[in-house]
Amino acid sequence: MNRQFAYGFWIGLLSLLVAVMPVRAETPDAALAQLLEEARASCAQPSDRLTRVVCGGHVRAGVRAYYPLFGTRDGTDYEGYEPDVARAIAQRLDVEADFVRVNAASRIPFLAEDRIDFVIATMGHNTQRDGQVRFIRPHYYQSETVLVGPKALPIHDWQDVATRTICVTVGNGSNAEIVSHKARLMLFDEAGVLPDRLNDQTCTLAAQDDSFFAFYFIEPAFAATFEPKMGFAQVPWGMAVARTGSDKLARALDLMSQIFHRDGVFLEIARKHRIGTAFLEHQQAVWQRPDCNTAAGSTNGACILPALDASLQPTPFAPRVSAFEGWFERSFGLDLTLPMLKTAPALSLFLNGVVNSLILIAGALTATLGFAIAFGFALGSEWRLLRWPARLVTVTLQSSPIVLTLVIAAALANAIVPYSSAVALGAAILALGLSNGSNAGQAVSEAVITLHHEGRLSGMGLFTRALARSATSIVSFLVNAAKGTPIASFIGAPELLSALTDITSFSSGRATTYCLLLVFYTVVVMIVVWLCNRLRDWLERGEVMA
Amino acid sequence: MNPLLRDLLSDFVPTLLAAMVTNFEISFIALALGLLLGLPLAFLRDRGGAMGVGVSATIISLMRAAPTFVVMFFLLNVLRDVSLFGVKLAISGVMTVAVSLVPYSAAYAADAGVEALRQFRRGSPLGALLFLPNITRAFFVIVMSSGAAAAIGVPEGISVILREVAVLPSLGDRLIVFAIGIVLFGVPLQLGLAFMRWLQRELGRRMIAV
């Protein structure tokens, strides 16, 4: 009885100890070891790419061949942060790494076509790509878009960026964010030209991934002249495998990424290649935490980073627009793309652009007419104190290219009131009105002088006749003002040219977009010409009747 | 002397003058292409029969209505995708701007050409010669418009001014740079306009004498 009691006592105590002891989680190392062991044990029936890799002795890694510091090819040898990470993975799997060259367009199709086992090729992890490949967590790197410019240029935050022109590449996901801060974009097809354009001063500022500029900043001449001004739009980079047949390989890579962060493997390779390490240092601290350093860490929301949500909200009629594009291409063999109608931000930019363009044109016409009358009156005046300053202003305005007049108007306006779209529109209306109105006013004053010589009239009667006599010139400068309104985009006025440039910077369809833009402005100017001709007829009828 | 002004005169002004050569280069090309396109249109409009007159008048009014700045962006973004006989049209920034100014210069040349032909037919060769000052005027208008090239990164006069201004912190300093720019653009313009007025006066005097 005593013996039975003793057994019962010890079993109860043991159970109690087990119950109250903290649960010790399985480590990623143990989980990885077990996974690899299972894979090696099933070589006869390889059901997953992991088994095929460990049994075949080779892992095919898709890497970049021309992305300095991250992946470059020298003959048959691949160098850079990513090939070295791939080598570390191969070593851990106890296999050889076979490198396959991929680029931004081919890296996902190569996975789907089973031409590579995994990809490690500067690929940002966003929600759109989540549906195409299985991303490895945790991420092995993180890039951000940096704004690079001359050291002498005082840029500290987004407020300093408004109204400036920034050179970017078409399709860069961060362009939409730049646009939202009222900067103008100068578009380029290839990132490779940006450092050259900074050097030859075509671009004052350029925005691109920090990983791209990292290479240029190790060049002493570039680093002595330029500096990163600010960073934004962080994107985590992920390795990826095919969505089917790669579950175990993905799991093995997840666990390896955890271990590589925790043990500083990523960090060491990054330091070797002189790339930025701030993200990796932070990640090392995360993956050394007890709650993350477990076999389940890669699914723990407190440890991993979310994918970037890069999708733009579609318009309610986006499917019909796509269907129309398809029908148009089938019917006419022409590639018609209407990005401005497919996403909500693009549609909003487009509609605002159309409205602002019409406001700008109406404003420029009114201002031109107003300044024409004012300059005509002042230049034709008999008072020298009025005539001479007006003449000086006219000669100055005539001597200033319209782009320069716009820039000066914007600089003066911004010195008085903080920059906004309305201020840019106002400054553009003023500049276009002054520039064209002064020329038209000169024509009015010349008509005043000829009427003076004829000596038939004086006072307001003479001035009205002068307006009628110079109707052709006034109309010509009114048309010129309407034609000049797209230049307002140069100072950040959010008119249609500016809006469509912004839209094409983060979507496709540049050809269609600019064709539509040309048609829009040509039609609007033709309507203005027609209206102005009616005005001229009315003014000239007045002269004939007089 | 003000240190800023000294720096501007020693460094900025020579750079600006050198860059302005590009503005004149763009303008010469635009005017030459404009004449090449505009003069045949003028002949067609003057002696092309009903159909010829209709076609040329339509083309001229379309060219007159096309905004240069939009045409420039159109060429920049659309022409890069166009191939001619299997070869991609890779035109330079300077040529893009010059071609974008062609609709204006061609329409102007056509209008002036039509007027010159009418004067010639009326037996006034000197009246027809007014074509020359008119084209000179167009040239200077084009020079002033060529500053739009700064928007697509062509290193011409305006882009040099904007580059200089970008690193100046005070509005006063910027206005000095703007003023220098206006003077340097204005001098050739005003000289050109003076020459044009002299030419018009001379031709007018001879017409009266004849």
Side-chain angles (χ1 to χ4, degrees):
Chain A
M1 182 70 189
N2 281 347
R3 212 168 163 180
Q4 280 177 334
F5 175 78
Y7 277 132
F9 173 77
W10 286 115
I11 288 167
L13 187 66
L14 199 64
S15 306
L16 190 69
L17 279 173
V18 169
V20 299
M21 260 177 64
V23 177
R24 191 188 166 102
E26 189 188 13
T27 63
D29 310 69
L32 178 64
Q34 189 184 343
L35 193 66
L36 294 179
E37 200 175 310
E38 284 170 9
R40 286 187 191 109
S42 52
C43 284
Q45 289 177 314
S47 58
D48 188 277
R49 279 195 180 81
L50 178 64
T51 311
R52 209 173 62 190
V53 165
V54 295
C55 299
H58 292 267
V59 63
R60 299 165 301 166
V63 291
R64 301 293 294 260
Y66 185 64
Y67 206 100
L69 303 183
F70 286 84
T72 52
R73 191 172 65 167
D74 182 12
T76 55
D77 192 25
Y78 282 82
E79 293 170 358
Y81 175 68
E82 289 173 339
D84 274 1
V85 169
R87 283 188 189 99
I89 288 168
Q91 193 180 6
R92 193 85 186 199
L93 292 169
D94 200 18
V95 298
E96 270 186 46
D98 296 340
F99 292 113
V100 179
R101 178 185 178 164
V102 296
N103 59 32
S106 66
R107 56 195 171 189
I108 290 177
F110 272 31
L111 279 175
E113 293 161 14
D114 195 22
R115 291 164 73 172
I116 51 179
D117 297 309
F118 76 101
V119 66
I120 177 165
T122 68
M123 185 157 71
H125 180 187
N126 61 40
T127 48
Q128 282 171 317
R129 291 183 181 139
D130 259 337
Q132 301 167 316
V133 289
R134 153 70 156 90
F135 273 93
I136 303 306
R137 312 289 271 276
H139 302 102
Y140 70 93
Y141 199 69
Q142 177 176 271
S143 73
E144 62 176 5
T145 302
V146 284
L147 194 63
V148 173
K151 287 183 171 173
L153 199 64
I155 300 278
H156 305 293
D157 53 32
W158 283 117
Q159 281 189 330
D160 301 326
V161 168
T163 79
R164 291 187 185 274
T165 302
I166 300 175
C167 294
V168 298
T169 48
V170 175
N172 193 314
S174 64
N175 288 347
E177 187 167 348
I178 299 174
V179 166
S180 72
H181 291 285
K182 313 216 181 296
R184 295 188 306 279
L185 302 180
M186 194 183 288
L187 304 180
F188 291 88
D189 289 322
E190 294 288 338
V193 302
L194 294 180
D196 294 337
R197 297 291 83 82
L198 280 169
N199 276 320
D200 69 18
Q201 299 185 318
T202 299
C203 301
T204 309
L205 290 165
Q208 190 59 222
D209 278 5
D210 58 349
S211 57
F212 169 80
F213 274 119
F215 171 73
Y216 294 93
F217 276 114
I218 61 173
E219 287 179 2
F222 191 86
T225 314
F226 301 103
E227 65 180 4
K229 299 290 181 186
M230 53 192 271
F232 57 99
Q234 284 79 12
V235 184
W237 288 11
M239 290 179 257
V241 297
R243 284 190 71 82
T244 53
S246 298
D247 290 347
K248 287 179 183 167
L249 177 61
R251 174 79 181 129
L253 290 172
D254 283 342
L255 293 165
M256 263 188 263
S257 292
Q258 276 185 251
I259 295 165
F260 284 2
H261 272 306
R262 185 198 64 197
D263 296 349
V265 176
F266 284 138
L267 198 54
E268 193 184 324
I269 298 172
R271 283 184 182 138
K272 178 186 161 192
H273 292 285
R274 298 163 72 185
I275 60 173
T277 55
F279 167 76
L280 297 174
E281 283 163 14
H282 177 256
Q283 286 290 295
Q284 186 179 32
V286 169
W287 293 100
Q288 282 177 344
R289 273 177 10 209
D291 59 322
C292 297
N293 186 28
T294 68
S298 64
T299 54
N300 183 346
C303 306
I304 56 170
L305 294 172
L308 180 77
D309 189 359
S311 56
L312 297 171
Q313 190 197 344
T315 56
F317 44 85
R320 275 177 281 161
V321 176
S322 297
F324 174 76
E325 288 171 350
W327 170 83
F328 194 88
E329 188 171 4
R330 282 191 304 278
S331 306
F332 304 103
L334 291 172
D335 182 17
L336 179 76
T337 316
L338 301 165
M340 69 292 288
L341 302 178
K342 285 188 185 165
T343 61
L347 181 66
S348 168
L349 276 172
F350 176 64
L351 293 178
N352 285 335
V354 171
V355 171
N356 286 332
S357 283
L358 296 176
I359 291 171
L360 192 57
I361 290 169
L365 291 174
T366 311
T368 300
L369 199 56
F371 282 120
I373 293 168
F375 274 100
F377 183 77
L379 289 168
S381 166
E382 289 176 7
W383 304 325
R384 285 181 185 175
L385 274 176
L386 190 60
R387 198 172 65 233
W388 285 9
R391 192 171 290 171
L392 182 68
V393 173
T394 304
V395 170
T396 307
L397 286 166
Q398 282 176 342
S399 301
S400 174
I402 183 65
V403 176
L404 193 55
T405 309
L406 275 163
V407 172
I408 295 170
L412 290 172
N414 290 340
I416 299 164
V417 283
Y419 175 83
S420 70
S421 299
V423 170
L425 276 175
I429 288 171
L430 195 71
L432 288 163
L434 275 169
S435 191
N436 291 288
S438 62
N439 281 301
Q442 196 174 35
V444 176
S445 73
E446 282 161 7
V448 168
I449 292 165
T450 56
L451 286 166
H452 256 309
H453 286 312
E454 289 168 16
R456 288 190 294 178
L457 285 163
S458 62
M460 279 314 288
L462 179 138
F463 192 69
T464 313
R465 281 283 304 281
L467 282 179
R469 185 166 283 191
S470 54
T472 304
S473 293
I474 294 173
V475 162
S476 146
F477 284 107
L478 283 171
V479 173
N480 210 33
K483 277 174 70 176
T485 53
I487 302 180
S489 66
F490 196 78
I491 57 164
E495 50 72 69
L496 192 59
L497 170 61
S498 177
L500 290 180
T501 302
D502 293 347
I503 292 169
T504 55
S505 74
F506 55 82
S507 58
S508 56
R510 279 162 92 184
T512 313
T513 303
Y514 284 97
C515 285
L516 290 176
L517 181 73
L518 186 61
V519 170
F520 170 84
Y521 268 109
T522 305
V523 169
V524 168
V525 172
M526 288 177 100
I527 292 169
V528 170
V529 169
W530 181 80
L531 288 173
C532 287
N533 283 336
R534 300 283 79 75
L535 174 70
R536 186 183 58 195
D537 293 345
W538 180 73
L539 285 171
E540 285 177 348
R541 261 203 311 275
E543 192 188 15
V544 172
M545 282 166 72
Chain B
M1 188 191 272
N2 179 332
L4 172 75
L5 209 58
R6 194 178 53 231
D7 286 351
L8 290 176
L9 291 176
S10 64
D11 189 25
F12 167 65
V13 170
T15 312
L16 176 56
L17 288 171
M20 280 174 64
V21 173
T22 307
N23 292 84
F24 282 90
E25 186 190 342
I26 289 168
S27 308
F28 273 117
I29 298 168
L31 189 64
L33 293 175
L35 286 170
L36 216 63
L37 188 64
L39 290 182
L41 284 170
F43 274 108
L44 199 64
R45 190 164 171 188
D46 192 57
R47 301 181 172 198
M51 178 115 170
V53 169
V55 168
S56 67
T58 308
I59 294 172
I60 291 168
S61 39
L62 276 174
M63 288 197 299
R64 209 182 281 132
T68 301
F69 206 64
V70 176
V71 174
M72 184 174 78
F73 274 86
F74 171 80
L75 294 172
L76 187 73
N77 290 283
V78 177
L79 267 199
R80 69 192 184 95
D81 292 331
V82 175
S83 297
L84 206 63
F85 306 115
V87 180
K88 274 219 160 189
L89 287 179
I91 64 169
S92 66
V94 167
M95 272 309 281
T96 302
V97 185
V99 175
S100 72
L101 287 160
V102 167
Y104 167 78
S105 64
Y108 194 98
D111 287 339
V114 168
E115 184 55 34
L117 286 169
R118 282 177 190 159
Q119 290 290 343
F120 190 76
R121 246 198 340 268
R122 284 178 198 154
S124 171
L126 285 171
L129 275 177
L130 282 172
F131 178 76
L132 294 177
N134 283 337
I135 290 299
T136 312
R137 184 196 290 271
F139 176 75
F140 283 100
V141 170
I142 295 170
V143 172
M144 301 309 259
S145 304
S146 65
I152 61 164
V154 175
E156 48 63 71
I158 299 294
S159 54
V160 168
I161 294 171
L162 297 181
R163 214 158 56 212
E164 188 70 25
V165 158
V167 291
L168 293 176
S170 85
L171 180 67
D173 291 348
R174 290 180 196 177
L175 289 177
I176 292 174
V177 173
F178 288 140
I180 292 173
I182 291 174
V183 169
L184 292 187
F185 267 99
V187 167
L189 174 86
Q190 296 301 337
L191 286 175
L193 292 178
F195 170 71
M196 191 198 69
R197 281 194 288 269
W198 172 81
L199 201 61
Q200 272 180 324
R201 257 200 317 273
E202 276 299 301
L203 290 171
R205 214 170 34 228
R206 288 183 194 192
M207 278 165 75
I208 291 166
V210 169

